[in-house]
Amino acid sequence: MIQGAIFDADGTLLDSMGMWDTVGTRYLASLGIPARPGLREILFPMSLSQCAAYLQEAYRLPQSCLAIEAGINETIRTFYCQEVVAKPGAKAFLEALRAWGVAITLATATDRAVITAGLERTGLLPLLDGLFTCGDLGVDKRTPEIFQTAQAAMGTPLEATWVFEDAVHAARTAYGAGYRVAGVADPYSDQAALRQTCHLYLPDLTDFPGFFAQAARI
């Protein structure tokens, strides 16, 4: 039924998407500078280097772009080390999977050092059998390589491997590659699209018996 589970981190196991939504505001606040309205919408489509260049020009920062990038990265690192929390039910859900002998890996687009700090802080790291990042593999979740790498490490059959995702694009990739997919609700993703994309939709991770019973029928 389910022999392997591949989890996303941000928005799935960790309640962290709000930080990514406000990282520019957080960085400016660390400099004592209030952000103007609409900063999130401006920065959202930009790369880190583009964000740094924009902030330098728009807010007339004396720091170099490289220094601003480093400052943004430090803002992110501080959040994962000191503030991030697990989503409700996440730890118990992983523990229940392990009790059933299910292998568990993590597949994330977040930097390895940063996500490891967050998983250590929340007590989730010891529950994982492996951790894979897009950065390490040189891929993103618009292609299935990271899921396939995690599956290969677990040695589980495709049809018995579930992917847990909050992001619609990643869920679509996993679904298209033949995995069973559980969408995990998060306010920062399109919930209607997530429901349509996944085999199962989980409002949260607090009902493991409910998930297990439904998964057995798929």
Side-chain angles (χ1 to χ4, degrees), residues 140-203:
D140 61 34
K141 288 188 177 180
R142 289 175 175 80
T143 58
E145 281 86 350
I146 191 167
F147 302 124
Q148 293 165 341
T149 301
Q151 178 202 346
M154 295 187 293
T156 55
L158 178 66
E159 66 275 8
T161 304
W162 280 76
V163 173
F164 295 78
E165 273 284 353
D166 70 297
V168 176
H169 74 279
R172 284 175 176 158
T173 298
Y175 191 101
Y179 294 97
R180 304 295 185 268
V181 183
V184 181
D186 189 84
Y188 292 91
S189 62
D190 184 336
Q191 298 307 289
L194 192 64
R195 283 179 182 272
Q196 293 172 357
T197 299
C198 301
H199 293 89
L200 290 178
Y201 175 82
L202 306 179

Side-chain angles (χ1 to χ4, degrees), residues 4-94:
I6 304 171
F7 281 85
D8 172 55
D10 297 299
T12 301
L13 291 177
L14 300 180
D15 191 4
S16 52
M17 293 306 294
M19 185 282 300
W20 291 101
D21 214 36
T22 60
V23 66
T25 299
R26 284 171 172 263
Y27 171 67
L28 290 172
S30 73
L31 303 177
I33 301 171
R36 303 183 197 113
L39 181 63
R40 173 202 174 276
E41 289 73 19
I42 294 170
L43 298 183
F44 182 77
M46 295 183 181
S47 66
L48 178 58
S49 60
Q50 290 171 332
C51 288
Y54 174 81
L55 292 174
Q56 183 191 54
E57 181 177 353
Y59 289 85
R60 299 188 178 183
L61 302 180
Q63 294 89 344
S64 69
C65 285
L66 285 177
I68 294 170
E69 286 187 42
I72 293 172
N73 278 325
E74 180 60 21
T75 298
I76 295 168
R77 189 194 69 80
T78 297
F79 171 81
Y80 280 92
C81 289
Q82 300 179 9
E83 298 181 46
V84 73
V85 297
K87 295 189 77 170
K91 187 174 183 180
F93 198 99
L94 295 185

